[in-house]
DNA sequence: ATAGGGTTAG
């Protein structure tokens, strides 16, 4: 390979790595392929394929991905585990079934731990906990990534106690040491189970002993302590973080808000800005929700304006939701409804619930009746089953008996009562035989 | 060149 040739290929590869959309990635990829000699001693083609697959999966087109897949087979690039795992990951984001199918066809020589871990994370996202666990059990040389993928799967399935027990199993039965990603995962699990405050402390102790406190762990510790009700510990971690970034500030502001310290939350926000830390969209979600809870309508308006005009952030459905809630809580139903009518994103269940709850409280049925058909046409998940009760109450109060019956039927179809019951059973499950003193 | 994690409105 001549030198200029190689340089050009290297530059293309760098550009490909940073490519953000599928079409530019594919263009760069084919340019690069044309310049490569058949021998390709630096396996540029393989690297390029791995890079190109990332923007390809975010394009969300399965036919496009299959097309590239066919190309990879023709050019024998799938033999590289790096390419195979990238392709598998791309498939798993678009079609778990296709990912599973591909995995079965990967030859043993290519199927290294990277590939297997991608398959595990695909199962964790798309399948049930038990199937993921069976797959995990069959992995021969599980590494820290396999364990933390599985651990996160427990937590995302709300099996917190089982997850923490699983974590203990790792510490007892393997020589693997938890790295910071796994510790973040564990702390997230602790945060979702308020009863496990001692466990959160013991993880903190472990982190301090290992001198593993990193920027990420600081955020997770603040969040975890706040969620388990120890705002004092959260603050202590917060003040000790050497260089506080947006995430630390936001986690602390959320913690303050969670514990009803609205003034402190807003003061923290102002202090953060004074120190030159740029708030992000989550920071604004936090302060706007504070305004809703504290009844600060004007303040909320100002924050919203600040976000758009000074920080140039595009409001998301969360921010609009906060604005609806601010107006709804303050009894300004027309303003709340105006936000919904004029916002640039589709309203979701949370937003409607916020508006409808205020309609019920204020016995304002005009707006409620205007929007209910639209709300009922939406996909209401079991988790939001309570919305049916709210809607039914509104119809009762408005004397619309036919509609009451209609909603009752919907509730039966969706098993609203049954699901509530099973949720409470799950929530009431003992947090498990976890001894915080160990690990 | 490839794998796992983090704060978000009712």
């Amino acid at each position: 390979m001549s030198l200029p040739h190689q340089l050009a290929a290297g530059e293309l590869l760098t550009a490909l790595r940073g490519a953000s959309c599928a079409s530019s990635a594919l263009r760069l990829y084919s340019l690069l392929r044309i310049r490569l000699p058949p021998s390709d001693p630096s396996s540029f083609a393989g690297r390029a394929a791995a890079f190109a697959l990332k923007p390809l999966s975010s394009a969300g087109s399965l036919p496009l991905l299959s097309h590239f897949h066919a190309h990879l087979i023709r050019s024998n690039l799938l033999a590289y585990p790096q390419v195979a795992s990238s392709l598998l990951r791309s498939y798993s984001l678009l079609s778990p079934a296709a990912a599973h199918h591909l995995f079965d066809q990967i030859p043993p020589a290519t199927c290294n731990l990277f590939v297997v871990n991608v398959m595990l994370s695909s199962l964790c996202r798309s399948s049930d906990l038990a199937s993921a666990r069976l797959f995990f059990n069959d992995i021969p040389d599980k590494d820290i990534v396999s364990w933390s993928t599985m651990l996160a799967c427990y937590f995302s399935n709300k099996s917190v106690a089982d997850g923490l027990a699983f974590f203990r199993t790792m510490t007892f039965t393997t020589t693997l040491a938890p790295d910071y990603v796994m510790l973040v995962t564990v702390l997230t699990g602790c945060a979702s189970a308020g009863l496990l405050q001692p466990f959160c402390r013991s993880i903190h102790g472990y982190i301090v002993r290992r001198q593993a406190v990193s920027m990420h762990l600081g955020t997770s510790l603040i969040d975890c302590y706040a969620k388990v009700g120890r705002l004092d510990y959260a603050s202590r971690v917060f003040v000790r973080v050497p260089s506080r970034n947006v995430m630390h500030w936001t986690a602390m502001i959320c913690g303050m808000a969670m514990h009803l310290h609205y003034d402190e939350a807003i003061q923290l926000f102002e202090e953060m800005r004074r120190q030159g830390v740029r708030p992000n969209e989550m920071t604004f979600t936090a302060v706007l929700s504070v305004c809703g809870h504290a009844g600060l309508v004007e303040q909320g308006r100002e924050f919203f304006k600040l976000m758009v005009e000074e920080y140039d952030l595009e409001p998301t459905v969360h921010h609009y939701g906060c604005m609806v809630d601010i107006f709804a809580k303050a009894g300004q139903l027309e303003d709340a409804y105006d936000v919904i009518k004029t916002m640039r994103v589709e309203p979701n269940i949370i937003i409607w619930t916020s508006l409808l709850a205020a309609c019920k409280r204020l016995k304002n049925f005009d707006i409620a009746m205007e929007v209910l058909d639209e709300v009922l046409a939406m996909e209401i998940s079991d988790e939001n089953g309570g919305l049916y009760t709210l809607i039914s109450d509104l119809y009762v109060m408005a004397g619309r008996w036919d509609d009451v019956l209609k909603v009752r039927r919907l509730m039966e179809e969706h098993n609203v009562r049954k699901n509530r019951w099973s949720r409470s059973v799950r929530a009431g499950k003992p947090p498990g035989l976890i001894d915080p003193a160990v690990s």
Side-chain angles (χ1 to χ4, degrees):
Chain A
M1 199 194 285
S2 69
L3 195 57
H5 210 105
Q6 170 132 16
L7 272 180
E11 279 158 9
L12 284 169
L13 199 63
T14 310
L16 185 53
R17 181 185 229 153
S20 53
C21 73
S23 59
S24 64
L26 284 177
R27 204 164 51 238
L28 287 165
Y29 178 81
S30 44
L31 267 176
L32 180 60
R33 293 291 311 228
I34 293 167
R35 293 191 194 183
L36 287 182
S39 59
D40 185 20
S42 328
S43 44
F44 269 31
R47 284 194 257 174
F51 287 147
L53 276 162
K54 261 192 186 147
L56 260 183
S57 67
S58 29
S61 157
L62 200 54
L64 196 62
L65 193 58
S66 312
H67 196 253
F68 199 68
H69 182 183
H71 156 76
L72 293 175
I73 293 172
R74 277 196 307 272
S75 32
N76 264 330
L77 288 172
L78 267 188
Y80 292 107
Q82 296 93 332
V83 176
S85 63
S86 301
L87 180 68
L88 189 62
R89 193 180 134 73
S90 302
Y91 266 121
S92 79
L93 297 174
L94 297 179
S95 158
H100 209 294
H101 183 68
L102 171 65
F103 180 75
D104 289 337
Q105 292 176 324
I106 295 175
T110 309
C111 198
N112 67 6
L113 199 47
F114 279 80
V115 178
V116 171
N117 284 339
V118 173
M119 191 58 223
L120 177 62
S121 75
S122 171
L123 280 173
C124 286
R125 264 195 308 274
S126 66
S127 189
D128 58 308
L129 184 58
S131 323
R133 179 60 201 255
L134 285 174
F135 186 86
F136 172 86
N137 288 346
D138 283 342
I139 301 175
D141 300 302
K142 307 168 184 66
D143 66 357
I144 194 72
V145 176
S146 324
W147 282 88
S148 38
T149 306
M150 193 63 228
L151 180 63
C153 189
Y154 277 104
F155 293 149
S156 57
N157 280 281
K158 309 262 184 276
S159 302
V160 179
D162 291 343
L164 292 175
F166 176 81
F167 175 66
R168 285 216 319 160
T169 306
M170 187 192 87
T171 60
F172 284 144
T173 62
T174 75
T175 55
L176 295 168
D179 62 1
Y180 83 94
V181 175
M182 185 163 226
L183 292 170
V184 166
T185 310
V186 178
L187 286 171
T188 310
C190 297
S192 60
L195 295 171
L196 297 164
Q197 186 248 320
F199 202 85
C200 186
R201 280 210 77 181
S202 75
I203 300 291
H204 188 184
Y206 178 85
I207 292 167
V208 173
R209 283 197 299 281
R210 290 262 312 267
Q211 301 182 320
V213 184
S214 71
M215 300 233 292
H216 306 269
L217 284 170
T219 309
S220 301
L221 278 170
I222 293 166
D223 176 58
C224 184
Y225 275 135
K227 287 218 174 95
V228 302
R230 291 307 300 251
L231 199 55
D232 51 341
Y233 289 160
S235 306
R236 223 182 289 174
V237 174
F238 177 73
V239 297
R240 285 183 191 181
V241 173
S243 62
R244 271 164 246 152
N245 66 18
V246 213
M247 295 243 205
H248 299 118
W249 285 97
T250 307
M252 199 60 230
I253 292 169
C254 288
M256 288 294 180
M258 207 181 295
H259 293 274
L260 319 182
H261 299 295
Y262 302 133
D263 288 347
E264 281 105 317
I266 290 174
Q267 279 163 20
L268 269 175
F269 177 70
E270 298 299 356
E271 179 60 25
M272 164 188 184
R273 294 181 57 214
R274 266 197 297 279
Q275 295 195 13
V277 180
R278 195 175 192 275
N280 64 17
E281 65 172 44
M282 282 178 198
T283 323
F284 277 103
T285 307
V287 290
L288 287 174
S289 86
V290 165
C291 293
H293 292 296
L296 304 168
V297 180
E298 276 319 304
Q299 178 83 276
R301 277 206 172 98
E302 279 168 33
F303 282 149
F304 194 87
K305 204 170 145 207
L306 187 73
M307 172 175 82
V308 177
E309 291 176 5
E310 196 172 323
Y311 292 102
D312 203 28
L313 293 165
E314 181 78 25
T316 67
V317 69
H318 297 107
H319 303 115
Y320 288 118
C322 290
M323 291 314 289
V324 170
D325 196 51
I326 287 170
F327 290 128
K329 285 237 170 67
Q332 305 179 17
L333 290 180
E334 292 292 342
D335 292 316
Y337 191 28
D338 268 347
V339 174
I340 298 180
K341 283 191 284 197
T342 57
M343 63 194 209
R344 307 182 62 110
V345 291
E346 283 297 306
N348 59 18
I349 298 286
I350 292 177
I351 287 179
W352 289 124
T353 308
S354 175
L355 180 74
L356 289 173
C359 287
K360 180 184 165 188
R361 192 163 44 82
L362 299 165
K363 302 192 169 46
N364 179 324
F365 305 120
D366 296 343
I367 292 180
M369 296 308 135
E370 205 175 313
V371 304
L372 276 179
D373 284 337
E374 191 178 335
V375 178
L376 283 170
M378 291 179 77
E379 187 89 24
I380 299 177
S381 71
D382 294 346
E383 210 179 330
N384 293 311
L387 181 56
Y388 287 115
T389 317
L390 175 58
I391 294 173
S392 160
D393 290 348
L394 279 162
Y395 279 136
V396 169
M397 291 164 81
R400 304 221 339 207
W401 307 109
D402 290 349
D403 292 314
V404 174
L405 288 176
K406 190 178 74 188
V407 176
R408 292 273 158 83
R409 268 199 297 279
L410 279 172
M411 284 169 86
E412 263 164 46
E413 271 172 43
H414 289 260
N415 277 332
V416 170
R417 292 185 63 167
K418 186 169 154 268
N419 280 309
R420 274 187 167 178
W421 180 77
S422 60
R423 261 215 313 284
S424 67
V425 168
R426 246 182 290 145
K429 210 166 132 187
L433 311 159
I434 289 149
D435 177 4
V438 195
S439 85

